[in-house]
C-alpha cells in the first residue's frame, strides 16, 4: 500500500465537509489495515490541551488513572514516545488558530516515526504553519448541478446521504418534513430567497436559524436543551431522554395519547424528528432496534442552539467571565458548567438544573493538595519501608481536599432546594462522603453521580427523602471494595432508571419490590437484592445482572412449579455479568423463559452449556456470549433464531474445537464476530448458511487454520476483518493465498495486527 501523505489536510469554511472527508479517510479499510492504531481528537474553537491529549491516550488505550493526575507535559512525552514506537494515524479535527497548534505540537515531536497526522481547519494558514510540506486540500463550494442533486437526495426521503454540505442538508431536512405539501414548500421558498442575497457565510447561518424557526413548539425546548453539552460532545441518547423527561419537556398530555406508550417513547420520537430534520448528526445506533444511541451537533448548528438558548433565557453556560452576572441573575434556571467554576458564584435559589462537565475541584488545586497520593506511593515503593513523612503529607492532602469538597456539596444542597436535575459528568475526588444534606433536595428528579470518588463506603440514609427521583445513578468510585446503599430506595416509587454500584455491601439486602415504574435496572445482584422483587417491575425494559444469580427455594424436581421471575412484556434487553463462578444452568433457563420478548441478550458468565432453543426468545436480534466456557457447539441452537442479526462469540465463549453452520442456518444474520476462541481449529460452513451475512470478524482464534469453502457462496459478505491472527492464516487469506479464492468477492478485506506481519 502507498504511504499515506504526512501532511494531507482538508480546509475550508464551516459546513463544507472537512470533518466528513476526514471520517471517510479514517474508516477506509485500506487505512484501517495500514495503521496499528487510529485516533480521533476534536480540538475546536475552545482548545483544551490536556483534554485533547487525554482523548488521544484514551483512543490508544494507554490512558491510566495516574495520567489524569500527572503534569500535562508528561502526557505530551507519553504520546510522542508511543507515536515513535507504533504506526498510528492521528486526526486533529477543527484547529482554529496557529497558537492552538503550537500548544499541541509537543505531543507530535517524534523525529523518526511512521505515524501520520491529519489536520482539518477553516484557516489554510494553519496548515502551512504546521507543516510547510503538507498537501493542502481546499474544499470547494458545490456548483448548481451538484447542489440540486444533493438537495433532492435530502428533500425526498428515504434516500439519505449523511454528512454532506451543511446548508443544503438542513434546508432539505426542513422540506422533507413538509413533503408533499406545495403550500408549505412555497412558504419556505419565500423565507430562503430573502437570505440568498447575503454572502455565503451569512446564508449558512440564516438557513440554520430557519431550521430552528421551522420547528414545531414541542420540539423547540428539546433542541434548546442540547445547548447544555460542550462542543463536539457525543451525547448519549438515553441520558438525554431521561433529562428531557425529568425536566417535564415531554408533557403528560402527549404521553397519554397512546395506551402503553410512555414519556421515554415520546421523547425518542422527538429525537428522531431532530435527526430527520438533519439538526443532529447520528453517531451510533442500537444494534437490535436501530434506535439512536448517540449523536453530535455540528459546531455551526450548536452556535445557533446557544444563540437561541441565550435569547430565550433558557440556559446559562457558567464560566469565569459571567461569574458576577450569575450571582445576581435569577431568571435563568438552568446552568451548565463546562470548565471548573466556583459553585459559590451561583446564587440562584430557584435553580432547576445543574449539569457539571468538569472536575469537582480544579486539577491544579488537586495536584497541589495531593503531591503524592497513597496509591502512587505504594506503586513506586513496593519493597520499601513506609516513609512516615510522605504518608503524613498524603493524609494531610486528602484531609484538606475532603474539607473543600464537603463545603461545595453543602453549599449546593442547602442553596438549590428547587433543583430537579443534578448531573455530574466527570469522575474524580469528591470528598470523604456524600453529605446527609442531599436529602433536602426533595424536588430532585435526576441525580447522576457516576465516577465520583468518595473515601467512605456508606451512602447517607437521607437519600430516602428524594421521593420524586426518576433517575438515580449510584455507579460511584470508592476506596473500599463494596458500597453500603441504605435500604431506602423502596421509598422512591417514581424511579424509572436505577443504576446501582457495581458492588453493593451484602450486609443489607435492598427491597426494590415497590419500584413498579422501573424501566432500567443495572447492577442487580441476588446477594444484595431479592429476586422475587423483579416480578413487580412490570415496566422493566432493560435488566443488567452483575455477580451471582441464584434463585432461593428453587424447585429442581419440577421446574414448571417455579413462579416466573419477570412479568414485564416490555423487557427487551438482558445482560448477565459474573466473575464469581458458574451460574446454575437451571436458574438461567428459568430466567430466560420469563424473558419471552427480549431482543438483546448478553451473557458474560460461565454456563458450560447453552440453554435449549425453546428457552430463548424468538425475537432475539443480538446475542453476545463471553467467558461462557461452552463445551458444546452453540451454533445448532443459535442458527434457528429467525431474527438474529448480530452474534458475538468472545473471550472463551466456546472452548471446543469445532463450530458448524448448517444450510439455511442463521437466515437473517448480518454480522458475526469470533474473538479469542483459543481452542477453535475448525469452522465449517454449509452451502446456504448465513445468506444475509455482511460483516465477518475473526480475531485471535490462534488455532484456526483456514477458511471454509462455504464462504465462497455467500455473495452478501461486504467486509472481512482479520485481526491478531497468525501470519500463516493471513497469508492464506490475502491475494495469492490458497484461501483467497473463497473471499475474492468480498469488497473489503482488512488485516490488522497479525503476528509477524509487515504493513510497510
Amino acid at each position: 500500500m502507498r504511504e499515506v501523505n504526512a501532511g494531507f489536510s482538508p480546509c475550508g469554511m464551516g459546513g463544507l465537509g472537512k470533518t466528513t472527508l476526514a471520517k471517510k479517510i479514517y474508516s477506509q479499510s485500506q487505512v484501517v489495515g495500514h495503521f496499528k492504531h487510529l485516533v480521533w481528537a476534536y480540538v475546536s474553537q475552545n482548545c483544551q490541551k490536556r483534554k485533547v491529549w487525554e482523548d488521544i491516550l484514551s483512543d490508544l488505550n494507554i490512558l491510566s488513572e495516574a495520567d489524569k493526575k500527572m503534569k500535562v507535559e508528561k502526557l505530551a512525552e507519553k504520546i510522542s514516545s508511543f507515536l515513535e514506537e507504533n504506526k498510528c494515524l492521528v486526526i486533529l479535527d477543527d484547529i482554529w488558530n496557529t497558537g492552538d497548534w503550537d500548544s499541541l505540537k509537543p505531543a507530535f515531536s517524534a523525529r523518526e516515526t511512521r505515524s501520520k497526522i491529519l489536520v482539518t481547519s477553516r484557516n489554510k494558514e494553519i496548515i502551512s504553519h504546521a507543516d510547510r510540506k503538507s498537501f493542502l486540500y481546499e474544499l470547494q463550494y458545490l456548483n448548481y448541478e451538484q447542489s440540486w442533486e444533493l438537495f433532492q437526495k435530502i428533500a425526498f426521503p428515504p434516500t439519505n446521504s449523511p454528512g454532506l454540505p451543511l446548508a443544503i442538508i438542513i434546508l432539505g431536512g426542513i422540506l422533507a418534513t413538509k413533503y408533499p405539501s406545495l403550500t408549505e414548500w412555497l412558504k419556505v421558498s419565500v423565507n430562503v430567497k430573502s437570505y440568498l442575497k447575503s454572502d455565503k457565510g451569512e446564508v449558512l447561518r440564516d438557513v440554520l436559524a430557519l431550521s430552528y424557526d421551522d420547528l414545531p413548539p414541542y420540539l423547540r425546548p428539546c433542541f434548546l436543551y442540547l445547548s447544555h453539552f460542550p462542543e463536539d460532545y457525543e451525547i448519549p441518547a438515553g441520558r438525554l431522554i431521561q433529562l428531557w423527561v425529568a425536566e417535564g419537556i415531554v408533557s403528560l398530555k402527549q404521553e397519554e395519547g397512546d395506551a402503553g406508550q410512555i414519556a421515554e417513547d415520546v421523547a425518542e420520537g422527538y429525537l428522531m424528528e431532530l435527526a430527520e430534520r438533519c439538526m443532529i448528526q447520528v453517531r451510533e445506533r442500537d444494534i437490535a432496534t436501530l434506535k439512536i444511541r448517540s449523536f453530535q451537533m455540528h459546531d455551526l448548528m450548536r452556535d445557533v442552539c446557544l444563540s437561541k438558548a441565550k435569547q430565550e433565557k433558557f440556559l446559562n453556560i457558567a464560566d469565569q467571565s459571567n461569574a458576577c452576572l450569575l450571582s445576581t441573575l435569577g431568571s435563568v434556571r438552568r446552568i451548565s458548567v463546562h470548565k471548573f467554576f466556583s459553585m459559590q458564584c451561583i446564587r440562584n435559589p430557584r435553580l432547576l438544573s445543574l449539569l457539571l462537565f468538569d472536575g469537582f475541584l480544579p486539577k491544579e488545586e488537586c495536584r497541589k493538595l495531593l503531591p503524592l497520593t497513597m496509591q502512587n506511593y505504594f506503586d513506586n515503593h513496593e519493597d520499601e519501608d513506609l516513609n512516615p513523612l510522605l504518608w503524613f503529607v498524603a493524609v494531610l492532602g486528602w484531609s484538606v481536599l475532603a474539607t473543600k469538597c464537603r463545603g461545595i456539596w453543602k453549599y449546593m444542597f442547602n442553596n438549590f432546594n428547587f433543583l430537579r436535575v443534578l448531573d455530574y459528568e466527570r469522575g474524580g475526588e469528591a470528598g470523604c462522603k456524600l453529605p446527609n444534606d442531599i436529602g433536602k433536595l426533595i424536588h430532585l428528579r435526576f441525580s447522576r453521580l457516576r465516577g465520583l470518588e468518595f473515601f467512605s463506603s456508606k451512602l447517607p440514609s437521607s437519600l430516602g427523602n428524594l421521593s420524586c427521583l426518576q433517575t438515580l445513578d449510584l455507579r460511584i468510585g470508592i476506596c473500599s471494595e463494596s458500597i453500603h446503599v441504605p435500604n431506602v430506595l423502596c421509598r422512591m416509587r417514581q424511579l424509572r432508571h436505577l443504576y446501582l454500584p457495581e458492588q453493593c455491601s451484602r450486609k443489607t439486602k435492598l427491597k426494590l419490590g415497590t419500584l413498579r415504574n422501573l424501566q432500567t435496572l443495572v447492577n442487580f445482584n441476588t446477594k444484595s437484592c431479592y429476586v422475587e422483587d423483579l416480578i413487580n417491575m412490570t415496566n422493566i425494559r432493560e435488566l443488567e445482572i452483575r455477580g451471582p444469580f441464584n434463585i432461593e427455594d428453587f424447585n429442581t424436581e419440577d421446574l414448571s412449579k417455579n413462579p416466573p421471575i419477570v412479568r414485564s412484556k416490555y423487557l427487551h434487553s438482558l445482560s448477565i455479568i459474573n466473575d464469581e463462578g458458574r451460574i446454575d444452568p437451571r436458574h438461567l433457563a428459568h430466567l430466560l423463559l420469563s424473558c419471552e420478548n427480549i431482543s438483546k441478550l448478553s451473557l458474560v458468565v460461565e454456563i458450560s452449556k447453552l440453554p435449549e432453543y425453546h428457552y430463548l426468545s424468538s425475537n432475539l436480534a443480538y446475542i453476545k456470549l463471553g467467558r461462557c466456557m461452552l463445551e458444546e457447539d452453540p451454533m445448532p441452537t443459535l442458527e434457528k433464531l429467525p431474527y438474529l442479526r448480530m452474534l458475538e462469540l468472545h473471550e472463551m465463549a466456546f472452548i471446543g474445537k469445532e463450530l458448524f453452520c448448517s444450510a439455511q442456518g442463521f437466515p437473517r444474520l448480518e454480522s458475526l464476530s469470533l474473538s479469542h476462541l483459543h481452542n477453535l481449529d475448525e469452522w465449517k460452513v454449509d452451502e446456504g448458511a448465513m445468506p444475509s451475512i455482511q460483516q465477518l470478524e475473526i480475531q485471535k482464534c490462534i488455532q484456526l487454520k483456514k477458511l471454509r469453502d462455504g464462504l465462497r457462496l455467500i455473495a452478501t459478505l461486504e467486509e472481512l476483518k482479520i485481526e491478531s491472527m497468525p501470519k500463516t492464516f493471513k497469508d492464506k487469506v490475502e491475494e495469492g493465498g490458497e484461501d483467497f479464492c473463497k473471499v475474492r468477492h468480498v469488497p473489503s478485506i482488512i488485516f490488522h495486527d497479525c503476528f509477524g506481519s509487515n504493513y510497510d
Side-chain angles (χ1 to χ4, degrees), residues 43 121 212 314 370 408 427 451 478 541 589 700:
V43 181
S121 178
Y212 173 78
F314 185 87
L370 303 174
I408 296 171
I478 203 152
R541 297 185 168 204
K700 216 160 192 179

Side-chain angles (χ1 to χ4, degrees), residues 99-100 180 311 350 366 379 408 435 525-526 561 599 613 619 642 681:
D100 289 344
Q311 183 180 323
R350 302 188 68 80
C366 287
D379 287 345
I408 296 171
N525 189 317
T526 57
K561 289 187 177 179
S599 57
Y613 168 73
N619 294 319
D681 64 14

Side-chain angles (χ1 to χ4, degrees), residues 625-639:
L625 303 179
R627 303 203 301 268
C628 297
M629 310 292 283
L630 295 173
E631 297 169 0
E632 294 182 14
D633 182 359
M635 296 305 197
T637 298
L638 299 175
E639 68 182 9

Side-chain angles (χ1 to χ4, degrees), residues 745-756:
H745 62 289
V746 181
S748 175
I749 301 177
I750 301 169
F751 299 99
H752 186 63
D753 204 20
C754 291
F755 309 154

Side-chain angles (χ1 to χ4, degrees), residues 223-239:
F223 177 73
L224 294 179
Y225 206 90
L226 304 182
S227 59
H228 279 89
F229 298 93
E231 188 175 4
D232 293 324
Y233 188 87
E234 190 163 335
I235 303 171
R239 178 170 149 215

Side-chain angles (χ1 to χ4, degrees), residues 676-703:
H676 291 75
L677 307 180
H678 298 315
N679 297 334
L680 179 67
D681 64 14
E682 185 85 21
W683 177 36
K684 297 179 180 178
V685 182
D686 258 2
E687 181 179 347
M690 303 183 293
S692 303
I693 193 78
Q694 297 174 19
Q695 294 176 309
L696 172 62
E697 178 185 36
I698 301 174
Q699 179 181 3
K700 216 160 192 179
C701 299
I702 54 178
Q703 298 298 327

